[in-house]
Amino acid sequence: MNTSHFFVTGDPMIYGADVSIVLVTIGILVSLTMLKKWGWLWREWITTVDHKKIGIMYLLAALLMLFRGGVDAILMRIQLAVPNSQFLASDHYNEIFTTHGTIMILFMAMPFMFALFNIVVPLQIGARDVAYPLLNAISFWVFFIGAMLFNISFVIGGSASSGWLSYPPLSETTFSPGPGQNFWIWGIQISGIGSLASGINFAVTILKMRTPSMRLRDMPLFTWSVLAASIAILGAFPILTGTLGMLTIDRMLDGHFFTMTKGGNPMMYVNLIWMWGHPEVYIVVLPAFGVFSEVVATFSKKRTFGYGSMVYSMIAIAVVSYYTWVHHFFTMGAGVDVNITFAICTMIIGIPTGVKVFNWLFTMYRGRIEISQPMLWFLAFVPTFVIGGATGVMLAAAPADYQYHNSYFLIAHFHQVLIGGVVFAYLAGMYYWFPKIFGFELNYTLGKWGFWLWQIGFYVCFMPQYALGFMGMTRRIYIYNQTEGWDMGWAPLNLISSVGAFLMGVAFAFQVWQILYSIKYGKRDFTGDPWDGRTLEWSIPSPAPLYNFAIIPEVKGRDAWWYKKQEMQQEEGYEQETPKYEPIHMPKNSGMPFIMSCFFFVAGFGFTFEWHWMGFLGLIGVAITLYARSFQYNTDYFIPVDEIERTENALRNRSTLIQKTSMEETLGR
């Protein structure tokens, strides 16, 4: 067993990270012990299979990774702010930009997406849980353990430094001989199991668990976007698994899939990783489109314009996304015919995207628009995404791409689309469904401060990078000299860009403050419908009870809850029928997903350091947990009718008066 260089040493920032990790860990352990919350933590969270609580854990993980990835970004911008900066050594800079990209896509955007999947989809389709509750818990814990394995590499073993997609030959043992690259591989491989399982789970949930009266053409657009993304996951993530498996064989078993000197081909890796990578971009963008579809309809007080075209455009994007990957390397030399084909496909995919933007704008046309926090993020999204789309079409032109390729123009475009299209949308979704999750709204004043700082910081940061790309500044550069800085004009624009990055960091701090402040002072929602919503999740109390729906709802078309409210308003003396409750079948909590994920951690850690005995021991542990689960038969229970009645009566008594007041205000408007 080789334990040399086990801990990363020699860098003051790493020592600071070590101290921070130790102090935070001690603080958490002491707090849980003093408050006697260990049992509560195990019963309510670690062993839960409730999709709502799993969604909350995904959300917390995403915000934590947004902070971690944001710190990486700020460190890079400090290094590039002035010429000849010595703030970061070259190796450390390479490690930071490698982890920044990986974290933001796989460990921030993906869990943020799965958070919204879990919180919203069962409620929107009238289901009491997902199709496979235990698999849902496994998905979260395997993702989380993979993320933790990836993140400890900064203080143990060292991080990967070969770029966020780890192209060979840099990622082969010749140039990355330490455990850092193995951390990258195994962290992504393990978390990828959770992503693939979630794709399966939500596709089945939407297709088989809807309330019986809800047809496919009655589903909310967010649910459609989740279905499209889930199907895309099923096609994309096996490619990622196979690609990283081949890289692992190269590194651990002296294979030669991607080594030129032994008959392999590194460009095969580049093709394979982008066969996953570009569908992955649309996997995280499609649910963002679904979020905005819900937000715009709700706050415009109108049905979504062009529902059918919105559905078909989502499906078209999910399909065409598999035929665009070569635009990431037109310079590969594959030939004119190949480049033309993929350039055309890349331009074609802009058409269904444009359809959705116009449909949202037509939905707003002559609507009674309410500028809420979620709506602010949509209004910011439109110009940001239009600029990102326009620059994407520029990059799709193969001859022009020879000039833009590997320049900061590409960096600006990528962030324009991913931040403007994904982060803005998921933040809008967080604000929109936050009252449904936690039962209170987030403070509007602090939210506006965070919003405007995000917008100003975003444009200050990334607009100069388009110009830097035209000026010849290439990506992955970690230092530039005085001549490049001042004579070529790089220094002023880099400094401005760095200021923008800091402003976005301040914006995130405002959002954290907003959440903490609102926990105590936020406006409580006793109606279950603070936004006068249109879909089924707003028909039940906030937060939703364990079983979601005491009675499975009946759906008569799209926007079911909106039209149910209209029906109640139009019928004089409307009285809801006395519900006839029946016992509700629910899954029991289980510690198996958490235990199995711990064995996955042991396996990943062992294989990372090539301690094969530990790796196989972890895999044996995974197999044992699966085997033990196969002999567990008492895995579910029924909530009795009297307990349902007590819960519903308590919720009804709490909200009746406020609902009446809210209805009167709605009629008055």
Side-chain angles (χ1 to χ4, degrees), residues 452-523:
W452 285 111
L453 284 168
W454 259 106
Q455 303 312 309
I456 295 168
F458 177 82
Y459 283 99
V460 170
C461 182
F462 294 109
M463 289 298 110
Q465 293 183 15
Y466 285 113
L468 284 167
F470 285 132
M471 294 166 134
M473 184 171 175
T474 59
R475 60 178 174 169
R476 302 190 183 97
I477 192 171
Y478 96 97
I479 196 169
Y480 54 95
N481 59 37
Q482 293 287 347
T483 300
E484 294 165 329
W486 299 109
D487 294 350
M488 296 179 64
W490 292 5
L493 293 175
N494 271 303
L495 181 59
I496 293 169
S497 182
S498 297
V499 171
F502 272 95
L503 286 175
M504 285 189 283
V506 175
F508 181 75
F510 264 96
Q511 290 176 309
V512 174
W513 180 19
Q514 178 190 23
I515 293 171
L516 296 176
Y517 178 88
S518 300
I519 290 173
K520 185 173 183 180
Y521 299 107
K523 179 183 176 182

Side-chain angles (χ1 to χ4, degrees), residues 108-119:
M108 186 280 292
M110 290 295 285
F112 218 143
M113 179 184 79
F114 288 134
L116 297 179
F117 282 21
N118 275 278
I119 291 163

Side-chain angles (χ1 to χ4, degrees), residues 79 115 187 228 243 338 352 436 443 533 551 584 634 645:
Q79 170 65 22
T243 305
V338 172
K436 181 56 56 183
N443 181 270
I551 302 291
I584 296 175
N634 186 21
E645 289 177 341

Side-chain angles (χ1 to χ4, degrees), residues 72-88:
D72 285 348
I74 289 173
L75 292 175
M76 286 190 288
R77 290 313 317 168
I78 293 173
Q79 170 65 22
L80 294 172
V82 295
N84 293 326
S85 173
Q86 301 300 316
F87 178 70
L88 294 173

Side-chain angles (χ1 to χ4, degrees), residues 87-130:
F87 178 70
L88 294 173
S90 59
D91 286 345
H92 196 181
Y93 182 89
N94 290 342
E95 291 175 351
I96 287 174
F97 89 71
T98 297
T99 55
H100 166 74
T102 307
I103 285 171
M104 287 302 204
I105 294 294
L106 287 167
F107 300 128
M108 186 280 292
M110 290 295 285
F112 218 143
M113 179 184 79
F114 288 134
L116 297 179
F117 282 21
N118 275 278
I119 291 163
V120 179
V121 169
L123 303 183
Q124 280 201 335
I125 63 175
R128 287 177 172 143
D129 211 321
V130 296

Side-chain angles (χ1 to χ4, degrees), residues 66 96 135 162 191 206 295-296 355 373 535 608 612 639 668:
L66 181 59
I96 287 174
L135 182 63
S162 54
S191 67
I206 293 168
V295 167
V296 172
V355 166
Q373 288 188 78
T535 45
T608 291
H612 297 115
I639 301 176

Side-chain angles (χ1 to χ4, degrees), residues 205-221:
T205 298
I206 293 168
L207 294 174
K208 303 298 291 184
M209 300 291 288
R210 303 189 311 278
T211 179
S213 56
M214 180 179 282
R215 302 164 298 182
L216 284 173
R217 63 176 180 266
D218 297 331
M219 293 197 313
L221 284 170

Side-chain angles (χ1 to χ4, degrees), residues 368 523 525-533 538-539 561-576 655-669:
R368 290 178 292 145
K523 179 183 176 182
D525 169 38
F526 297 108
T527 68
D529 188 14
W531 310 126
D532 194 17
W538 305 111
S539 67
W561 175 235
W562 175 265
Y563 288 104
K564 181 67 173 178
K565 289 187 291 185
Q566 301 301 311
E567 180 185 326
M568 290 190 292
Q569 291 175 17
Q570 291 168 6
E571 291 186 24
E572 284 190 38
Y574 177 87
E575 290 187 11
Q576 189 171 359
S655 62
T656 298
L657 180 61
I658 299 176
Q659 283 183 335
K660 181 179 178 182
T661 304
S662 175
M663 187 71 73
E664 290 172 352
E665 291 176 353
T666 302
L667 290 170
R669 289 196 295 268

